[in-house]
Amino acid sequence: MSSSHASRPLSRLLRYSQAAQFTTSTARHEPLPSIAPKCTINIKHIRQNPELYSQNCIDRNYKSQSDSPFKIVRLFDEWRTLQRSGRGLREKNNEIRTKLSHAKTFSGREADDKADDHPRESHLEEARDLKQQIGQIEAEEETLTEEIQKLASELPNLTSQETPIGREPKIIGYINHHPESAPSSSDRIWRNHVHIGNDLDLLDFAGAATTSGWGWYYLKNEAALLEQALIQYALSVAMKHGFTVISPPSMVYSHISSACGFRPRDQNGEQQVYTMQQSEKYQGTGKPDLSLAGTAEIPFASMKANTTMEETEFPLRIVGSSRCYRAEAGARGSETKGLYRVHEFSKVEMFGWTLPEKEVELFDSMLSIQKEILQNLGLHCRVLEMPSTDLGASAVRKQDIEAFFPSRREKNDGWGEVTSTSMCTDYQTRRLATRFRSSKTNSDAPFSASTAQPSTLSPGGSKTEFPSTVNGTALAVPRIIAALLELNWSEKDATVAVPSVLAPWMHGIDIIKKRR
């Protein structure tokens, strides 16, 4: 292990929490298609640190997985016992095969058996028995390996030392001034964005409920223009900072979604993902299931699946607009109204691959872009270091930015999430088989911190490693529209002011007012 690695705290060694001892990528109860990237999880690191992984599950509200690290240790001991038994049987089987091969003359006739205590038939019978025993052991080994892999794949990433443990976030700072710092002394009249949207003919929830159900909506007139303007503005800011624009697909293989940390149900058992039902023609054929992407993070991350990148490509930063689909909106949003929590929405997402030692730098740069966008839109926001229970499976650290929604003052003092940035170390790249060729030679850094084994070498002698990934929301359209309608509402004129930064895409509209 290099000295630079040795001096890092645990949170900086998390990228080593996933190299492989068991690299089987399927579990018998949930087989993956042959096209799925080969997952490479560090079973050895889990076995060596079961208490760490167990407590991490408890801290992150993955209580049902908290015993899994200890199960992995027990199953590995069983696997190792089988390995020893199988090795002895194979050695004995090889001895018998050698005797049988020597028991024939070059013409194929039986040789004199006097020098051997066992006749040929006895050797053959013993060889058949050994083959059966070895086959049984190998089947048991495979079962144990698959169970270990399944348990390991369900564990969340480890947690950064920057992350508060528990349920309470840490306030990092604020953006723009508060529009109503002392509500009791203010005579300003606030309106809910649903009321404003209906009054100005911007939103239609009733028609969408008839068409699609609760949690869908129509954006009309200036609201539809605002959606496009916000997307273009967010893209322009990200491009200015060196991001490349990508338009991703909205549908992904379900195994890709899982590899990125998005499973059909979360740790609370709540449905997260819309899975597409296969036609009868393909049912039972092994054709992979498809899901609607909950975020462009998923198709962005998988762009480099089964790929070995070059170190000179980093940081590789992309940004794109997509439609996002969230199945949990109905259950979680029963107390919310309007645009705050919906099943489908437009979002501009930032994503990047980078060297492990540069992940914090990319994380901070995405946060800076988010702050720039929100500040220029005139929204009052606060920046939070999110607690362990709020982290997704892939994230080692997450910061959210919440905007002030006057209509939500009775819920969390008006604060509501509008952006999020997550640092995922190598959780996704190990599950998607995304590697890079390091400029370091094997002699420069011969061992990884957790496995104490040589890194994978390419034919040229350089080693391959797993890059870190970082993702961040540049802008989630519906919530931003809701915040702008509420904060820029003028009760006197019954109008909403449009932020000046959106002017290039608003066709000359700077004030939204009621139609006559």
Side-chain angles (χ1 to χ4, degrees), residues 188 190-198 200 202-203 219 222-223 226 339 379 405-406 478-490 495-499 512:
R188 182 171 179 177
W190 298 101
R191 299 287 185 187
N192 185 295
H193 71 273
V194 177
H195 177 277
I196 297 169
N198 289 333
L200 299 182
L202 302 175
L203 307 173
L219 297 178
E222 290 89 343
L226 273 176
L339 297 174
L379 299 179
F405 293 80
R479 291 188 182 182
I480 296 296
I481 289 178
L484 289 175
L485 292 180
E486 294 185 12
L487 289 169
N488 293 354
W489 169 254
S490 169
T495 61
V496 174
V498 176
I512 303 173

Side-chain angles (χ1 to χ4, degrees), residues 175-176 233 370-379 381:
I175 302 170
N176 294 326
Y233 173 61
Q370 292 171 336
K371 293 174 184 176
E372 178 181 345
I373 290 171
L374 295 171
Q375 182 171 6
N376 290 340
L377 289 174
L379 299 179
C381 305

Side-chain angles (χ1 to χ4, degrees), residues 235-487:
L235 289 174
S236 68
V237 174
M239 289 171 64
K240 180 182 68 175
H241 289 279
F243 281 72
T244 300
V245 179
I246 301 289
S247 182
S250 294
M251 200 171 291
V252 296
Y253 285 130
S254 296
H255 63 264
I256 292 293
S257 184
S258 294
C260 293
F262 294 84
R263 298 191 178 272
R265 293 185 181 273
D266 63 14
Q267 61 266 39
N268 299 313
E270 197 167 276
Q271 186 72 25
Q272 293 191 100
V273 178
Y274 284 113
T275 301
M276 308 303 293
Q277 183 176 359
Q278 290 189 357
S279 65
E280 293 183 4
K281 176 181 178 182
Y282 295 111
Q283 289 179 7
T285 64
K287 182 179 175 63
D289 289 334
L290 287 164
S291 302
L292 289 171
T295 168
E297 172 192 345
I298 300 169
F300 281 169
S302 58
M303 279 183 69
K304 296 297 181 180
N306 294 323
T307 299
T308 299
M309 306 169 70
E310 299 298 332
E311 188 174 332
T312 53
E313 296 181 63
F314 299 134
L316 179 56
R317 299 168 294 172
I318 57 178
V319 65
S321 168
S322 72
R323 298 294 279 181
C324 302
Y325 300 88
R326 304 287 176 88
E328 86 282 4
R332 283 177 148 182
S334 58
E335 66 172 6
T336 66
K337 296 180 180 180
L339 297 174
Y340 188 77
R341 196 179 295 279
V342 292
H343 287 299
E344 179 183 3
F345 57 96
S346 295
K347 179 162 70 83
V348 178
E349 181 78 3
M350 298 179 288
F351 191 89
W353 298 264
T354 190
L355 296 172
E357 60 268 24
K358 296 288 187 178
E359 59 193 9
V360 175
E361 183 178 324
L362 181 56
F363 181 79
D364 289 341
S365 71
M366 288 188 185
L367 283 166
S368 177
I369 291 172
Q370 292 171 336
K371 293 174 184 176
E372 178 181 345
I373 290 171
L374 295 171
Q375 182 171 6
N376 290 340
L377 289 174
L379 299 179
H380 175 58
C381 305
R382 65 178 185 178
V383 185
L384 305 175
E385 187 77 55
M386 299 308 291
S388 57
T389 54
D390 200 73
L391 301 184
S394 62
V396 68
R397 181 186 179 191
K398 183 171 76 132
Q399 284 192 12
D400 284 359
I401 299 181
E402 296 182 336
F404 177 70
F405 293 80
S407 66
R408 292 175 57 83
R409 280 175 294 180
E410 295 182 1
K411 301 182 182 74
N412 200 25
D413 295 326
W415 298 109
E417 177 195 340
V418 290
T419 74
S420 179
T421 305
S422 296
M423 188 165 63
C424 300
T425 62
D426 59 6
Y427 182 98
Q428 294 174 331
T429 54
R430 286 187 176 275
R431 286 161 172 77
L432 292 169
T434 303
R435 294 175 169 84
F436 73 95
R437 270 183 281 270
S438 174
S439 61
K440 301 173 184 176
T441 64
N442 193 42
S443 59
D444 290 332
F447 299 103
S448 82
S450 66
T451 64
Q453 292 183 359
S455 301
T456 304
L457 294 180
S458 66
S462 60
K463 66 174 184 173
T464 60
E465 299 180 12
F466 294 95
S468 293
T469 59
V470 181
N471 65 82
T473 307
L475 189 143
V477 170
R479 291 188 182 182
I480 296 296
I481 289 178
L484 289 175
L485 292 180
E486 294 185 12
L487 289 169

